[in-house]
Amino acid sequence: LHPYEFTNKDNLDHTIRNLGRIELIKFVSPSALVDSTPGGLPTIDYTFLLTRNKKINFDLNGELTYSNIASQERKSLFGTSFSTNYRDRNIFGRAEVLNVNLELGFEFNFFNKQTETYPQLLNSLNIGLGTDLSFRRFMDPLKIYHMIGYTKDPEKTTNFANRLHKWLVEDASSRLSMGFGYVVITDLYDYYNVNANLNYDIQPDPFKKLTITRIGFDLFVPTAKPAYQAILDNNKFLQESFGNQLFTGFLFRNYLYEINSKNKAKPGHFRVLHSAELSGLEMYAINSIANEISGNQKEIVLNPNGKPEDVVQFSQFAKGEIDIRYYRDLSRNTTFALKLNTGIASPYGPYTKQVPYPKQFYVGGALSNRAWQIRQLGPGGYEDTTAIDPNLPFYQTGDFKIDASAELRFKLFWYFDGVLFMDAANVWILQEDTTRLGANLTGSFLSEFGVGYGYGIRLDLDFFILRLDLGYKLFNPYPVNGSRYLKDNVRRFPGGAEPQIAVGLPF
């Protein structure tokens, strides 16, 4: 709002929204006084009453988790994690927010057969430290992003580029973030990850949210244990994707855009999330120019210690994903929910042979196809006949993913809800792998979906939902006893279920 302008409700709403984004302000209460002076234009004087929020916030949190991994026998995992969070909502006196988070998590396998090979009770360990510094303004030192959609005509806001320019200049918060994570997967691998990013957080209205990572660096350094190294030695795809990697972006790293339908009073509404990620484009250009000048085709790598095992590659890949969700109220206590999620990732340039392992797609588990366990499905119609120790989790990933789910949700009694669901999903690789026949994406991919169905129960306590889903395999990606249709599983119903226990709805 500015003095002596004509009254504009959009400007008033924008002012209230921007004040509400300042975390030091808890509530915004506007009031208006109309001054109708005889002989003159009526004027409106606005007063904003602001309720102050606490400057410092400190939290301690703990949670319990449960999961299971199916292989040659059941593997049940109980976990616990603890985190502490420190938040200063006005650290430098201009509404800057400092957030520091420390997390420690464990996962135990109480039912693990204690053997000389696998004596450990601990299944996994993760340690994470992250810090964010947010500024309630758009920071663009080189004025590069100011040029996106720039126009001198304020009325030209019809295309997305012009709207994006307006969102960045008027609505964006800038966030500097740094983090460190260390993860140990017992008997498979451990890795540490270091990251630093410059992000823009934008929410132009209550129905849209956009996060852009403009500058980003992620260092991924894994170490394979002997059991997993044996898997890598027999799997070229995994071997080429599992190594020291540096993901970089100087002008653009990734974005996440979320859209919600405006009128949720109608029986049906939708939610769309889509994202894109790009790594190593600037380094690819620098490498190409350096090779052109020197006349040699040589990859630029980082190797501060001079040892082959310490070489860090600049990873060059592109990745995109879209997630569409639709919800329709069939009655007061019954809802139909549908989700379709698909994504594709591909390396580019002569040096990155595969999309890095942590950036590949996977399906299965409590948030995907619930008849299979996480990373059990795929890729494609490939059947992995490798002898897998029952104590090891699954590891199947791919470059292309389709994941669909449909649910009928209904009220049961008290705090309990019920659900009937059907899931279909799989992943595929884009490059043909002669060691894994049927794993690559072909025109017959529709016949390679893993299809499951099931039912579940939810304990809905408003502030969190605890759910148990029982999934049953219906169609397998590859034939079993000559048929993809698993009629023996259907005949065993309700036996042979794959239980999935989780917190929150799957979508």
Side-chain angles (χ1 to χ4, degrees):
L1 292 175
H2 299 283
Y4 309 112
E5 285 185 342
F6 285 106
T7 301
N8 187 316
K9 187 177 182 301
D10 289 340
N11 288 346
L12 174 62
D13 293 340
H14 200 178
T15 300
I16 296 171
R17 191 164 63 245
N18 280 341
L19 286 170
R21 289 198 186 107
I22 299 175
E23 286 197 26
L24 197 63
I25 298 173
K26 192 172 185 179
F27 299 113
V28 180
S29 302
S31 63
L33 177 64
V34 180
D35 181 9
S36 299
T37 305
L41 290 174
T43 61
I44 301 178
D45 293 330
Y46 287 103
T47 301
F48 295 89
L49 303 178
L50 309 179
T51 305
R52 187 184 180 98
N53 211 342
K54 287 196 306 180
K55 181 178 183 292
I56 304 294
N57 189 69
F58 184 75
D59 291 329
L60 291 171
N61 304 286
E63 66 179 39
L64 297 174
T65 61
Y66 170 86
S67 64
N68 56 70
I69 298 173
S71 186
Q72 297 171 10
E73 60 185 58
R74 177 69 56 211
K75 180 177 182 180
S76 300
L77 304 173
F78 291 86
T80 181
S81 67
F82 305 93
S83 64
T84 178
N85 182 267
Y86 172 84
R87 196 169 188 86
D88 188 329
R89 295 186 171 96
N90 194 29
I91 187 169
F92 300 131
R94 296 187 63 187
E96 298 90 348
V97 179
L98 174 67
N99 187 77
V100 181
N101 187 76
L102 176 64
E103 183 177 3
L104 176 64
F106 305 91
E107 199 171 46
F108 303 97
N109 182 13
F110 294 108
F111 304 104
N112 189 9
K113 290 183 178 181
Q114 305 299 307
T115 65
E116 292 183 1
T117 308
Y118 299 101
Q120 297 91 344
L121 179 66
L122 183 68
N123 181 77
S124 67
L125 163 72
N126 70 280
I127 302 170
L129 175 63
T131 178
D132 292 322
L133 181 60
S134 298
F135 301 85
R136 188 60 195 93
R137 56 188 179 274
F138 177 46
M139 298 169 58
D140 186 17
L142 301 179
K143 303 297 181 182
I144 295 175
Y145 271 48
H146 272 82
M147 296 185 294
I148 297 176
Y150 174 76
T151 175
K152 293 183 179 180
D153 186 351
E155 300 298 325
K156 290 184 178 180
T157 57
T158 54
N159 62 53
F160 182 77
N162 290 336
R163 289 201 301 270
L164 179 59
H165 175 84
K166 184 174 182 292
W167 293 350
L168 285 168
V169 174
E170 297 183 5
D171 298 316
S173 295
S174 303
R175 176 165 48 89
L176 299 172
S177 63
M178 295 183 65
F180 171 82
Y182 178 66
V183 177
V184 177
I185 308 296
T186 305
D187 302 317
L188 278 186
Y189 54 83
D190 59 68
Y191 68 85
Y192 68 84
N193 176 267
V194 181
N195 62 77
N197 303 283
L198 168 61
N199 310 281
Y200 298 134
D201 299 314
I202 308 165
Q203 189 164 3
D205 58 54
F207 313 103
K208 300 184 185 73
K209 186 176 181 180
L210 174 64
T211 298
I212 299 174
T213 300
R214 172 179 175 175
I215 302 174
F217 304 90
D218 293 81
L219 177 63
F220 174 73
V221 180
T223 302
K225 304 293 179 62
Y228 194 64
Q229 187 60 52
I231 296 174
L232 294 177
D233 292 340
N234 295 318
N235 192 320
K236 181 183 176 183
F237 177 81
L238 282 179
Q239 189 178 58
E240 292 177 343
S241 64
F242 194 84
N244 302 338
Q245 303 278 348
L246 182 61
F247 316 132
T248 62
F250 297 95
L251 297 177
F252 172 79
R253 181 71 181 86
N254 58 56
Y255 79 82
L256 173 64
Y257 188 32
E258 177 181 339
I259 307 171
N260 289 278
S261 60
K262 292 187 177 183
N263 194 350
K264 293 188 178 181
K266 290 184 177 181
H269 65 276
F270 67 87
R271 183 184 181 198
V272 179
L273 301 95
H274 57 88
S275 63
E277 183 174 358
L278 183 64
S279 173
L281 182 62
E282 295 86 356
M283 285 306 305
Y284 173 68
I286 292 172
N287 205 153
S288 300
I289 294 172
N291 288 344
E292 188 69 25
I293 294 174
S294 65
N296 299 321
Q297 294 299 314
K298 184 179 180 181
E299 179 184 8
I300 296 177
V301 298
L302 296 177
N303 191 7
N305 298 327
K307 300 178 181 179
E309 62 271 17
D310 294 333
V311 170
V312 178
Q313 292 182 302
F314 289 94
S315 187
Q316 293 151 11
F317 69 92
K319 179 179 179 180
E321 187 172 1
I322 185 168
D323 188 304
I324 303 173
R325 304 173 184 188
Y326 178 74
Y327 309 89
R328 185 171 184 85
D329 296 328
L330 303 180
S331 68
R332 182 179 178 182
N333 295 318
T334 306
T335 301
F336 174 74
L338 183 67
K339 179 193 75 172
L340 177 61
N341 173 250
T342 184
I344 187 169
S346 176
Y348 64 88
Y351 306 117
T352 301
K353 297 180 180 180
Q354 302 292 348
V355 176
Y357 187 74
K359 299 297 182 178
Q360 292 170 3
F361 296 109
Y362 57 87
V363 291
L367 301 178
S368 180
N369 192 324
R370 285 157 280 187
W372 279 263
Q373 286 305 315
I374 189 169
R375 293 185 177 87
Q376 183 183 6
L377 261 174
Y382 168 68
E383 179 181 5
D384 191 351
T385 57
T386 306
I388 304 173
D389 191 280
N391 292 284
L392 300 181
F394 295 100
Y395 51 84
Q396 305 295 358
T397 58
D399 303 317
F400 179 70
K401 172 181 74 168
I402 298 179
D403 191 348
S405 295
E407 288 195 346
L408 184 65
R409 302 169 179 173
F410 47 88
K411 186 72 177 177
L412 289 177
F413 58 89
W414 197 44
Y415 291 108
F416 289 95
D417 300 332
V419 63
L420 300 174
F421 63 84
M422 178 164 282
D423 302 328
N426 207 339
V427 293
W428 294 263
I429 61 174
L430 299 181
Q431 302 177 25
E432 187 173 0
D433 185 351
T434 56
T435 64
R436 296 188 297 169
L437 297 178
N440 58 302
L441 182 66
T442 64
S444 60
F445 73 96
L446 291 176
S447 64
E448 295 172 347
F449 278 99
V451 180
Y453 65 97
Y455 54 91
I457 189 169
R458 286 95 166 85
L459 177 61
D460 188 350
L461 299 178
D462 290 334
F463 55 92
F464 84 95
I465 296 175
L466 180 66
R467 64 182 170 95
L468 167 64
D469 290 332
L470 298 176
Y472 299 86
K473 297 179 178 65
L474 183 62
F475 287 95
N476 205 54
Y478 52 84
V480 176
N481 297 326
S483 175
R484 289 183 57 246
Y485 172 54
L486 304 177
K487 56 184 177 181
D488 291 339
N489 287 26
V490 176
R491 290 168 181 166
R492 285 191 298 158
F493 183 87
E498 193 66 65
Q500 305 280 1
I501 297 180
V503 175
L505 296 176
F507 63 94

